[in-house]
Amino acid sequence: MATAPEEYSYRISVEDFDKSRLPPSARIPGTDAFKAAVNAAIVKDYEGFGGHVSIVVTNQVIEVHWRTDPNAPTPMQIVMGKLRQGHSEDAVRLLETLRRHHPDNIVVLTNLGMVL
């Protein structure tokens, strides 16, 4: 039985984005290379969850909107599966993504702390 998709959004300044995640040639904010590299990095963050992600990168702000797939496992089920399979790096990446949406969620924070 499918459930309604959940929608999540967050917004960060370009200055707060971790530029070490980008190729050296794409670390200058405001350039097309920067915008494309940020988009690619964030898409990668969500590929393990499925659903639909929309990313807007301006010269000052990065906005991310994500809608879950109601027919797929929940994000925490996906994380727990990664942990059971011994894929802790993938689990950390997914938990960090969830933390952006739920910065005070004790389940997300506890699991992230335990795996780190």
Side-chain angles (χ1 to χ4, degrees):
M1 182 171 153
T3 60
E6 293 184 59
E7 295 192 27
Y8 302 91
S9 296
Y10 73 91
R11 177 182 181 138
I12 62 170
S13 75
V14 165
E15 293 305 314
D16 290 337
F17 186 80
D18 179 6
K19 292 166 193 67
S20 70
R21 298 179 58 199
L22 307 177
S25 62
R27 293 184 180 167
I28 301 171
T31 64
D32 289 341
F34 176 82
K35 292 174 183 177
V38 168
N39 190 72
I42 294 172
V43 164
K44 185 175 180 176
D45 289 344
Y46 287 88
E47 69 187 4
F49 289 135
H52 174 74
V53 65
S54 170
I55 304 152
V56 176
V57 183
T58 69
N59 291 342
Q60 294 84 27
V61 175
I62 301 165
E63 292 184 29
V64 179
H65 304 279
W66 171 52
R67 185 175 51 245
T68 63
D69 178 350
N71 298 310
T74 67
M76 278 309 295
Q77 288 171 330
I78 294 168
V79 167
M80 298 312 283
K82 296 284 185 192
L83 289 172
R84 280 192 293 279
Q85 296 167 358
H87 300 287
S88 57
E89 281 186 29
D90 289 342
V92 167
R93 182 175 51 81
L94 296 173
L95 284 163
E96 287 286 0
T97 299
L98 288 176
R99 187 179 61 80
R100 288 185 198 101
H101 294 289
H102 303 288
D104 299 322
N105 183 303
I106 193 71
V107 173
V108 171
L109 294 173
T110 299
N111 280 285
L112 181 57
M114 287 174 46
V115 74
L116 289 174

